[in-house]
Amino acid sequence: YTGERHPELFKERPAKGNKPGQLSRAQLDEFYTRGFTLVRDFFTKEELDAVKADITVKVSELADKLYNAGKIKDKHEGLGFYHRLCAIERDFPGANIVLHKLSTLPPSFRAIAAHERMLNLLEDIVGPNISFNPVWNLRTKTPNNAASTVPWHQDSGYFDVESYNTLIVTAWVPLLDTNEQNGTLQMVPGCHRDGYIAKHTCCAGPTWYIDLDEDIIEKEFGVDMAKDPVTLDVPYGSFLLFNNFTPHRSLNNRSDVVRWSIDFRWQRTGTPAGLFGLKPTCEVRRDGEPDFRPDWDSFDSVDRNRAQLESMARDESAADEFSAVISGPWMKKWEIVNHNKHTDAFDKNPEGWQPGMLHG
């Protein structure tokens, strides 16, 4: 916890462009004043069908591995995209976490990360030189699962302090119509404008998630948590665009299907990635070079999840391909007020660190 503030991130805006996909002036103003905006009907059916097809392959690969290892007795091959992982999770609790730790970008994910209209949109916010942040996630939100119900936080609460003066932009892309019933996102408007990261704690309930207490949000940002949070329904084909300072959370999935979503992140090239030096960004657009292509193979050569776990954990935890444990360096950054299998999985005394100390 540093207490530093970077309001300049939200005052100096690149010039408004006029390229396909770019936000309207009203949307851009909403992003800067509220900290988020809903971008409707952005993706084509074909683009999202490709994403769903790649995820289907990953679910099948996971089912095969679990079945061949004797972890499950039925691969549930007859179930569809929104139900199969639910059945696998019932047979092998933690399967959704194993899939959440997907380490390489499938082709359709790469296509979105370097999507021409998306990069056009981002130019209005970060400028013409754009890099993809290594913290991207496939969200495997199975029903009534604490491991996928994320408490209040600011994204930079997970990042190293060297990146606190970096604007990191997130596109949260759901793969179905999301709402309060199936676990959509809630945002607290306007809390980002000072560029300030409040004090979080670790870890919430049985998870690896950091937690930003509602009383702290009210005190530090001057909001009313009974009235100000906004629940955002996001139609399929649309996405939420927000920044790394806006407090948000995901609700419990009370439906009977997987609430699939992916979060992608970008930033201005040359700014800190925020991942404690474990993995760099990937340049996706370079000003003046229309034929520039990202080096995805180099980017994917570093397994972020394994690097995080190995930086914190015992070797056997990192080696278990069916481990439902996630640990990372954010656990050294905030006070651990609740211990569970995730916090217990790492060496609690790296470089003289002691439980309760705040690094950053």
Side-chain angles (χ1 to χ4, degrees):
Y1 175 71
T2 66
E4 63 188 272
R5 297 173 186 269
H6 295 281
E8 71 278 3
L9 294 173
F10 303 102
K11 292 180 179 177
E12 298 180 9
R13 309 183 190 181
K16 176 76 176 75
N18 189 29
K19 297 180 180 179
Q22 290 184 310
L23 299 175
S24 68
R25 174 56 65 186
Q27 287 175 306
L28 198 56
D29 286 344
E30 183 176 50
F31 175 83
Y32 275 96
T33 58
R34 303 189 82 199
F36 58 89
T37 191
L38 175 60
V39 183
R40 294 182 179 274
D41 303 321
F42 187 87
F43 296 106
T44 66
K45 178 181 183 299
E46 291 74 20
E47 288 165 345
L48 294 185
D49 280 350
V51 171
K52 291 164 66 175
D54 280 340
I55 294 173
T56 297
V57 169
K58 295 301 178 183
V59 174
S60 292
E61 290 174 351
L62 175 62
D64 288 343
K65 288 181 179 179
L66 289 169
Y67 183 83
N68 293 337
K71 305 288 187 181
I72 60 175
K73 296 180 180 179
D74 186 342
K75 293 192 282 187
H76 301 288
E77 293 173 288
L79 297 180
F81 180 73
Y82 296 103
H83 291 94
R84 188 179 184 188
L85 185 63
C86 300
I88 295 171
E89 174 74 20
R90 285 193 294 269
D91 293 350
F92 184 78
N96 75 309
I97 300 176
V98 176
L99 187 59
H100 170 73
K101 294 195 289 186
L102 184 64
S103 61
T104 58
L105 284 161
S108 63
F109 290 36
R110 291 182 177 188
I112 290 180
H115 193 293
E116 182 179 4
R117 286 184 294 115
M118 180 69 78
L119 298 183
N120 289 345
L121 180 157
L122 291 163
E123 272 197 17
D124 279 344
I125 299 171
V126 302
N129 294 295
I130 305 170
S131 287
F132 186 65
N133 186 277
V135 182
W136 62 273
N137 294 289
L138 171 63
R139 302 290 178 179
T140 55
K141 195 176 184 74
T142 50
N144 298 304
N145 193 329
S148 55
T149 302
V150 185
W152 290 113
H153 68 285
Q154 296 166 283
D155 280 351
S156 278
Y158 288 97
F159 299 153
D160 62 46
V161 298
E162 286 76 13
S163 67
Y164 275 16
N165 63 350
T166 300
L167 177 59
I168 299 173
V169 182
T170 296
W172 185 77
V173 182
L175 299 176
L176 73 173
D177 293 339
T178 58
N179 50 50
E180 187 172 358
Q181 172 73 14
N182 62 20
T184 194
L185 298 193
Q186 288 184 325
M187 301 270 171
V188 189
C191 298
H192 65 291
R193 285 176 285 190
D194 279 343
Y196 170 67
I197 303 301
K199 186 183 294 185
H200 294 61
T201 57
C202 186
C203 287
T207 77
W208 60 93
Y209 299 127
I210 59 174
D211 189 8
L212 179 56
D213 188 89
E214 289 192 9
D215 290 340
I216 291 179
I217 298 177
E218 290 193 335
K219 177 182 176 182
E220 297 290 350
F221 300 108
V223 296
D224 184 342
M225 291 300 288
K227 299 177 180 179
D228 291 337
V230 178
T231 303
L232 291 145
D233 293 352
V234 184
Y236 184 63
S238 307
F239 69 92
L240 279 176
L241 189 77
F242 59 96
N243 67 68
N244 48 313
F245 294 89
T246 299
H248 60 285
R249 69 175 177 179
S250 76
L251 301 175
N252 183 33
N253 178 6
R254 295 180 284 111
S255 74
D256 61 355
V257 300
V258 183
R259 192 228 64 192
W260 293 105
S261 66
I262 312 166
D263 39 86
F264 301 89
R265 293 179 173 83
W266 300 264
Q267 62 197 85
R268 180 176 300 170
T269 298
T271 53
L275 198 58
F276 301 84
L278 298 176
K279 183 169 182 171
T281 60
C282 180
E283 195 173 4
V284 289
R285 175 170 284 186
R286 186 179 294 172
D287 190 24
E289 297 187 25
D291 295 327
F292 179 81
R293 294 292 180 269
D295 184 359
W296 291 122
D297 290 340
S298 293
F299 182 76
D300 276 342
S301 68
V302 179
D303 183 331
R304 180 197 83 202
N305 295 291
R306 187 177 182 89
Q308 286 181 165
L309 194 56
E310 288 180 342
S311 75
M312 304 293 292
R314 306 179 187 95
D315 290 341
E316 63 266 23
S317 297
D320 182 3
E321 66 175 328
F322 300 119
S323 172
V325 171
I326 295 181
S327 297
W330 61 88
M331 292 178 177
K332 291 190 291 185
K333 182 178 171 183
W334 303 110
E335 181 181 9
I336 296 178
V337 298
N338 177 58
H339 284 278
N340 56 44
K341 66 181 181 180
H342 304 284
T343 62
D344 290 343
F346 69 86
D347 177 3
K348 299 183 180 61
N349 294 284
E351 300 178 1
W353 178 76
Q354 296 290 334
M357 290 178 64
L358 295 177
H359 281 213

